[in-house]
Amino acid sequence: MANNNGSSNQLVVPQASAALDQMKYEVAQELGISLPQDGYYGNITTKDAGSIGGSITRKLVQIAEQSLAGRV
């Protein structure tokens, strides 16, 4: 099952798609980056896209570490 944006990445838990999408918008807002609501990201700079992706990855790793430590 591919994501809606044409990516070939597959989610291990497909039900997490909505939560990850929400996280993307929250992170972009925290970074002051405006994301288009129509789903077309062709006008987003590579730097901005990388910043969003990197921040999401850091948050997901932090959540996983806390979960493994039994703190969630």
Side-chain angles (χ1 to χ4, degrees):
M1 175 187 321
N3 291 335
N4 294 338
N5 63 5
S7 171
S8 62
N9 294 338
Q10 294 182 354
L11 295 175
V12 175
V13 180
Q15 297 82 357
S17 180
L20 289 171
D21 211 39
Q22 179 64 31
M23 183 180 279
K24 174 175 55 179
Y25 284 100
E26 289 173 5
V27 166
Q29 185 177 13
E30 289 172 10
L31 297 173
I33 300 168
S34 177
L35 292 180
Q37 295 298 319
D38 65 2
Y40 176 71
Y41 297 106
N43 297 326
I44 300 294
T45 66
T46 303
K47 180 181 177 186
D48 287 347
S51 295
I52 294 168
S55 293
I56 290 172
T57 301
R58 279 189 291 281
K59 285 183 180 215
L60 291 174
V61 168
Q62 182 181 25
I63 290 167
E65 287 174 343
Q66 290 172 348
S67 178
L68 289 171
R71 291 186 280 168
V72 171

